[in-house]
Amino acid sequence: MKKIPRHILTASLLCVFVAVMVVVLGISFRSMKEAEPIYPGPGVTGQEMLSKYCPNLKGTAGDTEIYILDSGVPGASMLVLGGTHPNEPSGFISAISLIETVKPVSGILYVIPRANASAFTCNDPQEGSPQRFTIQTAGGERWFRFGSRATNPIDQWPDSEVYVHASSGQTLSGSEIRNLNRAYPGREDGTLTERVAYGITQFIKQHNVTITVDLHEASPEYTTVNAIVAHEDAMDLATLSLWELEDVMKISVEASPKNLHGLTHRELGDYTDTLALLMETANASQGRLHGTVSAEMVVSGQDKFYYRAGQYGALTVDYPETGIGMSERCARHISALNEFCKSYDGPAGTIDLGEMPSYKEIITNGIGAYLASPK
Ligand SMILES: [Zn+2]
């Protein structure tokens, strides 16, 4: 039998290896398309899709669920955005906790847990992020996706070299063109990201939403962290809430810069009548100083390099050796949301979220105690 030349054998083996890798990575990539279950709790009275407010989203990866928790008692309303950046999981998990456990007694709570649904279907390149993480609940373990800061390039491509923000003409790096929090107020016929922003803006306008809060996380070395960022119209509400929140946590209020466009706390305040707020908690997995980002680290926040950086005074937050865990980060978001409702005393009436866990209770019992058990 004729011997196969060595270079042909090598090339063939390489082809087989590449084919196997393509299949393995394809299966892995597809697995992020499956959305984690959300179990609507006793307060949920309705559900809509964002495409109702931007028909150009229908059938796209940007369409996403809006959960409605209507107390039946007229009053003010609050919209909570989780998952604007799916690599900032405390906002997403806090939003799910509201859907699954809150039962408002006056006013209406709206929750969009996966604001950028497309960005949940991929990871950021070269970050080595996990695709999923888990949280223990009373009835077992739940899984959630750890996504990307930006819309999946499969759904919106190519990126231009320079991103021109449509309504202001502001120019940013092309990499920001898929960032939902640079796309507001959005465009009905724009990119997928702009259409999502447009749908959210239209939702707020049509429902005359009183307060809108966009939940985020940031690197522990970032200056705007453990903070509320407020549009000037929402500054009174943020400050009133701060007085109460300062009793239980270190937190600050910052003014939304007037010359930075596309962000919720700027454009939703300028283009609608809503009181626009954004919150940031400290997330080690997003920073530049961390070690390996495992699924456990996303939840525990425990990272020896961040701990050491904190010892050198290089961070803007206290970073304990035990980390800043998901429960503490969600406790910040959830207790601030509750406080915004309590502190609001404007013309829209009241919004009362009903019985809510305290900051300390969420940390003591763990955020899993405020999520439904898997079904
Ligand atoms: Zn963010």
Side-chain angles (χ1 to χ4, degrees), residues 9 52 117 123 139 193 213 226 241 263 310 327 344 355 365 368 372:
L9 190 66
K52 185 176 168 188
N123 285 128
T193 313
V213 191
N226 286 352
S241 305
L263 293 95
S327 297
Y344 175 77
E355 210 173 301
N365 302 330

Side-chain angles (χ1 to χ4, degrees), residues 188-199:
E188 192 175 8
D189 56 355
T191 62
L192 183 70
T193 313
E194 287 176 313
R195 282 178 270 155
V196 173
Y198 178 84

Side-chain angles (χ1 to χ4, degrees), residues 84-85 87-88 149 179 181-182 214-218 278-280 286:
T84 291
H85 293 146
N87 61 335
E88 301 171 8
R149 178 177 169 80
N179 180 353
N181 207 25
R182 296 294 180 278
D214 188 13
L215 301 179
H216 287 253
E217 299 207 81
L278 179 147
M279 290 200 61
E280 298 275 10
Q286 250 183 297

